[in-house]
Each structure stands twice: as structure tokens, then as C-alpha cells.
Amino acid sequence: MNPDVEKILVSEEQLREINMRLGKQITEDYKDKNLLVLGILKGCVFFMTDLVRCIDLPLSIDFMTVSSYGSGTRSSGRVKITKDIDIDLDGYDVLIVEDILDSGKTLHYVSQILKTRGARSIKIATLLDKPERRVAPITPDYVGCDVPDEFVVGYGLDYDQKYRNLPYIGQLRRSIYE
Ligand code: IMP
Ligand code: MG
């Protein structure tokens, strides 16, 4: 285990189970739809690439980069799109894929914007949820699992751009960021 990690919250085995469970559910729900899986970079990468391979349907993928964080551990609330999608959303059923839902400010902003762009439907899949931290009116449609109000890293999630390549979700030691 990485020495900066206090404990493992979601193991590799649990991540595989989450992807299989969500993939099956999404496959059922999107059978007659025109699915576009839209990842929010960079945190989504490992979750999204594993999740889409558990979805047994034709689908398209695209990515968006938004920034709301500095190098701290709390969302600034000032959300900015730094890389936009490449395709027209007209006629697509969009499934936004996010690493973690915290205050909800980022996804609230992103889904407001996508609503103005002609998507047929918009839903949210998040690997992790910290429900007690929610400020913005956002409810995810698919959740991998809830995590406590601790800063977590790995499997795409970073602290100051580090730890994304850990194969599990770990709780970061407070001494690293306090
Ligand atoms: P929100 O706007 O507060 O919901 O923040 C969501 C974004 O903040 C996520 O997409 C993450 O990039 C980041 N974030 C929130 N909590 C954590 C965490 O515990 N570890 C790593 N990133 C986090
Ligand atoms: Mg993110």
C-alpha cells in the first residue's frame, strides 16, 4: 500500500464488482436509447474505461475537462470548462461519468450547460458519493458507493495531480494536506 494512504476504502475487487453491477444496470436502462457516455476528465478515466466495457450496448464516448479545484481539497465553486465536447448532443441520451460527487457544484454547472445543448436526456453516474457534503441540488442516477467525508485518492482521483494511478480507492493521510 502507498505510505501516504491511511487505509483502503474500496479495493480492486470491489471496484470490479461496482463496474459489473452498474454496467448491467445501464445496459438494461439504455436498451432503446442512443447512449453517449460523457466523462469528466481527468478523474473519470479509469472508472469510465472499465465501466463502458461492462455495458453491452452500442455507445459513443466523449470527454470534457472542467476545473473547480486549486491544489486544495475543497471545490472552489468557480467551475470552468477547459476542454469542451467535440460533438453535437442533439438526439443523444447523455450519461455523465464522474469520479466523485462532493458539493455537487461541478456537476450542477455541467448539467445546466448540457441541458441547453439539445440532449434527449441527461443522467449521472458517479463512482463515489459523499452525500453529506452536498450543497447543489444534484442527485446521481448511478452510484458505485458512498464514502465518508475524508479526502480520497486513487483509481483516477488525485490530490494535487498525484495518486491517480493507485489501483484502489484510499483515504489520504491528513498530514499530506493539512
Ligand atoms: P464538487 O463540485 O464539490 O462536487 O467536486 C467534485 C470534484 O471535486 C470531483 O470531480 C473531484 O475532482 C474533486 N473531489 C471532491 N472530493 C474529492 C476527494 O475526496 N478526492 C479527490 N477529488 C475530490
Ligand atoms: Mg473530477
Side-chain angles (χ1 to χ4, degrees):
M1 191 168 78
N2 185 299
D4 297 351
V5 168
E6 177 86 41
K7 62 177 169 196
I8 293 179
L9 295 180
V10 192
S11 68
E12 293 180 65
E13 179 58 33
Q14 288 170 318
L15 288 168
R16 268 192 295 277
E17 285 166 12
I18 286 171
N19 286 317
M20 272 159 33
R21 171 172 59 81
L22 296 183
K24 211 170 146 197
Q25 210 181 325
I26 293 165
T27 302
E28 277 300 308
D29 296 351
Y30 282 84
K31 271 205 175 80
D32 305 313
K33 301 209 155 73
N34 186 20
L35 176 57
L36 170 71
V37 182
L38 173 56
I40 308 299
L41 291 171
K42 304 168 201 166
C44 75
V45 277
F46 302 102
F47 174 43
M48 174 148 155
T49 53
D50 285 342
L51 178 66
V52 290
R53 285 177 288 172
C54 294
I55 302 175
D56 188 15
L57 289 175
L59 56 80
S60 307
I61 64 171
D62 207 340
F63 297 96
M64 212 175 196
T65 309
V66 299
S67 72
S68 64
Y69 263 62
S71 60
T73 59
R74 292 285 183 245
S75 178
S76 67
R78 291 183 303 275
V79 185
K80 203 171 82 190
I81 297 177
T82 53
K83 181 218 170 290
D84 210 336
I85 43 177
D86 301 316
I87 57 176
D88 188 354
L89 290 185
D90 199 25
Y92 278 111
D93 295 290
V94 177
L95 180 63
I96 301 173
V97 173
E98 173 69 302
D99 52 359
I100 187 167
L101 201 49
D102 188 32
S103 72
K105 289 176 189 167
T106 308
L107 278 195
H108 183 63
Y109 177 84
V110 170
S111 38
Q112 290 302 111
I113 289 202
L114 295 182
K115 274 179 194 151
T116 67
R117 299 225 190 137
R120 198 151 65 184
S121 66
I122 300 171
K123 283 196 189 183
I124 293 169
T126 185
L127 173 63
L128 305 174
D129 192 7
K130 288 180 185 168
E132 74 267 34
R133 298 246 320 136
R134 200 65 34 79
V135 176
I138 280 282
T139 311
D141 301 280
Y142 305 95
V143 178
C145 67
D146 288 357
V147 283
D149 183 13
E150 295 288 346
F151 203 77
V152 298
V153 292
Y155 196 60
L157 289 103
D158 72 306
Y159 172 65
D160 210 4
Q161 299 302 326
K162 292 195 293 260
Y163 310 107
R164 292 195 198 272
N165 59 325
L166 300 179
Y168 49 79
I169 301 287
Q171 179 178 329
L172 191 64
R173 284 189 198 285
R174 284 183 176 262
S175 56
I176 305 294
Y177 59 89
E178 275 182 355

